[in-house]
């Protein structure tokens, strides 16, 4: 938390402690004294000031809601001042109605309007569901209000003006509760500021209810005053808490589902009428049939609306699920079709490569044959000899490329032919290295061979030469002048290990897993524009695996590369 946040939180705690201390002091002062009345008035007014200070400090996106809270609290505080003047200055009970009632009743709409503004920030779809849930609990509370508070007030007095004022207080409590219940169904209940705010409103409602049921309980006791004072204090603390910003954010409610809280609300609403009947029976009170009938009808209608909303939501979910399933099945069909097309395209491509490779190989073989005859005749000038040597080298390079393409095409078609026999691999390694020495020397590279005598392997001699040629040629090609290429053959744990190492440009670690893929070329080779097709290592792995062996690579960029081939000894499976 930032230093500013710590200071703000400290301010909220300081106000809470000061409010609790002032409330305790209120009980110490003489009852109905001017000092006690003044302290009561100061606590009420301080809560309105605290709300304004907290709003200006935290700057919530919906500051007007908090300013409405401040206005409502200030109206209560002014009503307290007028009410206390009757008791401590004029020493008589206030008339009914009095000017204090005007300010008290004016405060409730301000508080309710602020809560409604916070409620309006919830998404419309969640707001509609929340309104129904809040209405259920509000109607249930309103029935209780009428039976236990409002109806007795109406029957006990013939003064219609006094009755209107008396009925206005529980009516305002219903309005305040409706807003609070809806807000309680949003995620804001998790914030500390909301908890302070909810505690303040609940205290206010509880004390109002007790006072409404037994007004005489306010005389000679300070319990109700304690509730009203703590309600003031907690409202101010809520405004001074930094999380009050979250109360006016457009966070989403829980949606149309029945959470545990909403299920409790629904159950409480449904059980309201039976519980009230039981209470009236046990208290030997006359049953208020009209109120219970009207309230039960309203609750039943709201429950039906809620259930209808759930059914619509379920239908919507089923439709969405069906649409998603249809879309998924359509995508699967398209994917299957595309896979078939890709397989067909791959097959056609392999056939094309095989056909072209075969058709190119025949004329290339003829060209190289006539080139060899022409060169062997010896009736050439030095310049002609040099030209024909260039043609011969490039024709040989082109023939090797065609052979690689033809090999890959046969491999993809599952037509790799092997003619294994007992093979002295050490002799093959020495011969292959000897044939590569001119190329290494031309590149200024030292080529060494350490081929120990190993057990005979069952392998295709031509494919072993092809494997070694690919590995050694790569090592020479990717090693700069002055570097080393080392070929070794050793027996290890029942297998023979062939290793070709170089001190060349190396391969990035992230690319080593793709090194044996068809047509893949490492970035180190591409960046240096070193020619190649990306087929050599693919072919090498195919030859090794066809002989029941394995091939692995170790490399560090700039430090070199090592290819390790392990082949089983004995009969080839």
């Amino acid at each position: 938390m930032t230093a500013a946040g710590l200071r703000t939180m400290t301010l909220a705690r300081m106000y809470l402690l000061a409010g609790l201390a002032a409330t305790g002091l209120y009980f110490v002062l003489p009852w109905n004294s001017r000092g006690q009345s003044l302290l009561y008035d100061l606590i009420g007014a301080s809560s309105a000031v605290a709300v304004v200070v907290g709003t200006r400090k935290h700057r919530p996106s919906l500051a007007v809601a908090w300013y409405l809270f401040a206005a409502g609290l200030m109206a209560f505080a002014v009503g307290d001042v007028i009410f206390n003047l009757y008791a401590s200055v004029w020493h008589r009970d206030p008339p009914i109605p009095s000017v204090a009632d005007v300010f008290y009743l004016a405060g409730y709409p301000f508080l309710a309007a602020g809560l409604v503004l916070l409620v309006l920030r919830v998404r419309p779809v969640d707001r509609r569901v929340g309104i129904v849930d809040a209405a259920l609990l509000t109607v249930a509370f309103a029935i209780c209000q009428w039976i236990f508070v409002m109806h007795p007030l109406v029957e006990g007095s013939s003064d219609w003006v006094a009755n209107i004022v008396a009925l206005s207080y529980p009516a305002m409590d219903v309005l305040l509760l409706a807003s609070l219940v809806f807000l309680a169904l949003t995620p804001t209940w998790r914030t500390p500021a909301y908890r302070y705010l909810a505690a303040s409103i609940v205290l206010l409602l509880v004390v109002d209810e007790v006072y409404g049921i037994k007004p005489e309980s306010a005389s000679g006791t300070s319990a109700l005053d304690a509730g009203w004072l703590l309600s003031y204090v907690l409202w101010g603390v809520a405004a001074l808490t930094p999380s009050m910003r979250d109360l006016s954010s457009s966070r989403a409610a829980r949606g149309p589902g029945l959470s545990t809280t909403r299920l409790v609300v629904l159950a409480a609403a449904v059980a309201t009428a039976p519980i009230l009947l039981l209470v009236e029976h046990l208290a030997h009170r006359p049953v208020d049939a009209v109120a219970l009938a009207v309230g039960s009808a309203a609750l039943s209608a709201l429950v039906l609306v809620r259930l209808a909303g759930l059914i619509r939501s379920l239908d919507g979910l089923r439709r969405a699920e069906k649409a998603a399933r249809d879309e998924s099945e359509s995508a699967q069909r398209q994917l299957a079709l595309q896979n078939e097309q890709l397989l067909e395209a791959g097959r056609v491509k392999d056939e094309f490569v095989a056909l072209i490779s075969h058709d190119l190989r025949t004329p290339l073989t003829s060209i190289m044959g006539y080139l060899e005859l022409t060169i062997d005749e010896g009736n050439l000038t030095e310049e002609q000899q040099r030209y024909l040597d260039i043609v011969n080298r490039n024709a040989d390079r082109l023939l090797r490329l065609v052979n690689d393409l033809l090999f890959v095409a046969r491999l993809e078609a599952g037509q790799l032919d092997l003619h294994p026999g007992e093979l002295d691999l050490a002799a093959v390694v020495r011969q292959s290295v000897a044939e590569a020495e001119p190329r290494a020397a031309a590149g200024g590279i030292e080529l060494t061979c350490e081929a120990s005598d190993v057990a005979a392997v069952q392998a295709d001699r031509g494919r072993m030469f092809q494997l070694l040629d690919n590995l050694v040629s790569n090592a020479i090609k990717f090693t700069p002048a002055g570097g080393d290429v080392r070929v070794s053959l050793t027996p290890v744990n029942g297998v023979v290990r062939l290793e070709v190492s170089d001190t060349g440009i190396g391969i990035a670690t992230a690319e080593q897993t793709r090194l044996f893929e068809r047509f893949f070329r490492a970035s180190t080779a591409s960046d240096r524009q070193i020619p190649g097709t990306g087929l050599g290592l693919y072919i090498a792995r195919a030859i090794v695996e066809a002989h029941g062996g394995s091939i692995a690579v170790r490399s560090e960029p700039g430090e070199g590369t090592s290819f390790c081939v392990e082949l089983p000894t004995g009969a080839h499976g």
Side-chain angles (χ1 to χ4, degrees), residues 304-556:
L304 288 175
V305 170
R306 187 67 171 95
L307 293 178
L310 285 172
I311 293 173
R312 284 196 299 270
S313 298
L314 289 174
D315 289 340
L317 289 174
R318 290 193 188 98
R319 288 193 297 270
E321 180 186 7
K322 184 179 182 302
R325 187 166 55 250
D326 293 342
E327 185 177 354
S328 175
E329 292 174 354
S330 176
Q332 288 178 353
R333 288 193 296 269
Q334 292 178 1
L335 184 59
L337 179 60
Q338 290 176 352
N339 286 336
E340 292 177 1
Q341 292 173 345
L342 287 173
L343 290 173
E344 178 64 16
R347 186 187 63 79
V348 172
K349 180 198 66 176
D350 291 338
E351 289 180 356
F352 175 76
V353 171
L355 180 63
I356 294 298
S357 300
H358 183 271
D359 288 347
L360 286 174
R361 187 177 182 182
T362 301
L364 273 174
T365 303
S366 178
I367 291 171
M368 293 185 69
Y370 280 106
L371 272 173
E372 186 177 351
L373 288 175
T374 303
I375 293 172
D376 289 343
E377 285 183 358
N379 299 324
L380 300 172
T381 64
E382 183 178 346
E383 186 176 7
Q384 289 173 336
Q385 181 73 34
R386 182 165 54 83
Y387 290 161
L388 289 180
D389 285 341
I390 293 174
V391 173
N392 190 42
R393 284 197 302 273
N394 282 281
D396 182 64
R397 178 181 172 188
L398 185 57
L399 182 60
R400 285 199 301 272
L401 174 59
V402 169
N403 286 335
D404 286 348
L405 290 173
L406 190 57
F407 179 90
V408 170
R410 289 174 176 171
L411 185 64
E412 293 294 322
Q415 298 175 355
L416 177 60
D417 294 329
L418 292 179
H419 302 285
E422 190 172 284
L423 181 65
D424 181 2
L425 191 56
V428 173
V429 170
R430 296 186 190 103
Q431 181 180 343
S432 181
V433 171
E435 292 175 355
E437 284 178 350
R439 280 178 288 164
I445 299 167
E446 183 178 353
L447 177 61
T448 58
C449 177
E450 298 178 6
S452 304
D453 291 332
V454 296
V457 297
Q458 290 290 323
D460 186 312
R461 180 182 179 86
R463 296 305 181 192
M464 287 296 104
F465 271 110
Q466 186 178 9
L467 168 66
L468 280 160
D469 183 56
N470 282 346
L471 295 179
V472 175
S473 295
N474 270 359
I476 294 172
K477 181 167 58 173
F478 296 115
T479 301
D484 299 323
V485 174
R486 179 177 174 271
V487 181
S488 64
L489 182 69
T490 54
V492 179
N493 298 329
V495 299
V496 292
R497 177 179 293 170
L498 171 65
E499 191 165 359
V500 180
S501 304
D502 63 61
T503 58
I505 59 178
I507 304 162
T509 304
E511 298 179 339
Q512 292 178 22
T513 55
R514 300 189 57 200
L515 202 57
F516 297 99
E517 294 181 6
R518 184 171 52 170
F519 300 116
F520 177 78
R521 302 202 70 216
S523 58
T524 49
S526 302
D527 294 343
R528 290 170 174 78
Q529 297 183 346
I530 299 175
T533 61
L535 292 174
L537 292 177
Y538 173 77
I539 293 173
R541 185 183 66 173
I543 294 173
V544 171
E545 292 179 349
H547 286 83
S550 63
I551 184 170
V553 60
R554 300 189 308 275
S555 183
E556 289 291 337

Side-chain angles (χ1 to χ4, degrees), residues 128-188:
R128 287 194 296 271
V129 175
I131 288 175
V132 176
D133 290 337
L136 281 168
L137 197 57
T138 302
V139 170
F141 179 70
I143 298 172
C144 297
Q145 283 282 76
W146 174 260
I147 291 176
F148 295 109
V149 179
M150 302 173 77
H151 196 187
L153 288 175
V154 173
E155 289 183 339
S157 174
S158 59
D159 187 347
W160 65 272
V161 177
N163 287 341
I164 291 177
V165 173
L167 292 175
S168 297
Y169 283 101
M172 291 299 177
D173 285 341
V174 172
L175 177 63
L176 203 58
L177 178 72
S179 302
L180 176 63
V181 170
F182 182 86
L183 198 61
L185 296 175
T186 69
T188 54

